[in-house]
Amino acid sequence: MAQHDTDPETPDSETRDPEIPDDEAAGREPFDDETAGREAPDDEGADRDDLDREAEELGVAVMATSRLFVAISARALASTAESLTLPQLRALVVLDTCGPVKLVALAATLGVNPSTALRMVGRLEALDLVDRRTNPDNRREVVLSLTAQGHDLVTRVLAHRRAEIRKLVQRLPAEERAALVPALRALTTAAGEMAVEAYDTARAVRGIVEDPLDAAVPPRDT
């Protein structure tokens, strides 16, 4: 009776090791019923979720810091000139920062309409804090500047505010203090045009008066 040789490259079921799964024996990854049909993790979605969470936490922290600084400014103002409001203080600070400006520039910087800014200026002028004159280059325009008393008031309020902030910063460890300014500057840099300062806003509407005011021109009546 003829004897047939077995092909060594194709082992039959009797010669295969029963302890080794078919997939592993064939060099394939073993099949797992629990992971079958499960999608691979979405790394991009996870990154989006992390960014959303960080943005939310940053927003909460920045708003809390903003309220803190508003409270500090309010206390500084109350200790110096309690009859003034924070919007009026802001107007005085803008004039102190930018120098003589047109009424339209002050309104743009404060984010109010010119009529609202004009009423505010009227109150500050009555307190001898703001000087209002006709623009010698265009008599239809009103130019505003701080009086000596207005400048003195701004200086005292800001000095009081700096003193309070200094006390607050002193409570922080040195490492945290060192990290604060770079982090805030990085945020405003990332904001780009959204972080425009008062002087830039006033210049953007051509509201900065470069030439000294003509003292001979009387104040314009309301």
Side-chain angles (χ1 to χ4, degrees), residues 52-76:
D52 288 343
R53 184 168 55 255
E54 289 174 2
E56 179 66 20
E57 292 175 354
L58 178 62
V60 171
V62 169
M63 289 302 296
T65 304
S66 176
R67 289 192 293 270
L68 170 64
F69 275 81
V70 168
I72 290 174
S73 296
R75 288 196 296 270

Side-chain angles (χ1 to χ4, degrees), residues 27-38:
R28 298 190 298 268
E29 290 292 331
F31 182 79
D32 188 350
D33 290 336
E34 295 182 1
T35 59
R38 186 184 301 171

Side-chain angles (χ1 to χ4, degrees), residues 59-217:
V60 171
V62 169
M63 289 302 296
T65 304
S66 176
R67 289 192 293 270
L68 170 64
F69 275 81
V70 168
I72 290 174
S73 296
R75 288 196 296 270
L77 182 60
S79 68
T80 309
E82 59 179 318
S83 62
L84 293 183
T85 65
L86 283 177
Q88 289 171 337
L89 172 63
R90 189 181 174 206
L92 294 175
V93 171
V94 169
L95 294 177
D96 190 54
T97 302
C98 302
V101 299
K102 301 174 185 178
L103 176 65
V104 65
L106 178 64
T109 304
L110 299 178
V112 300
N113 58 54
S115 61
T116 300
L118 183 60
R119 287 194 296 272
M120 184 184 297
V121 167
R123 298 187 189 100
L124 296 174
E125 187 180 23
L127 296 171
D128 195 28
L129 300 174
V130 170
D131 181 60
R132 177 172 44 156
R133 295 177 181 272
T134 300
N135 187 352
D137 296 328
N138 185 344
R139 292 182 176 275
R140 293 177 299 176
E141 294 178 340
V142 174
V143 177
L144 310 168
S145 60
L146 280 187
T147 63
Q149 185 174 334
H151 175 72
D152 178 65
L153 174 63
V154 170
T155 300
R156 285 186 286 117
V157 172
L158 296 187
H160 192 289
R161 186 175 70 176
R162 278 194 299 273
E164 278 213 47
I165 294 173
R166 186 175 183 276
K167 292 177 184 177
L168 183 62
V169 172
Q170 275 184 318
R171 301 177 191 172
L172 298 175
E175 314 82 62
E176 293 184 6
R177 290 203 306 265
L180 271 178
V181 174
L184 293 174
R185 282 179 177 166
L187 185 63
T188 54
T189 298
E193 293 182 358
M194 290 187 291
V196 176
E197 295 186 0
Y199 187 86
D200 297 322
T201 301
R203 181 168 289 283
V205 295
R206 298 181 179 179
I208 302 293
V209 179
E210 305 290 356
D211 297 328
L213 291 172
D214 185 356
V217 179

Side-chain angles (χ1 to χ4, degrees), residues 38-54:
R38 186 184 301 171
E39 295 183 1
D42 184 359
D43 292 338
E44 185 176 344
D47 290 342
R48 257 197 320 269
D49 291 342
D50 289 342
L51 186 59
D52 288 343
R53 184 168 55 255
E54 289 174 2

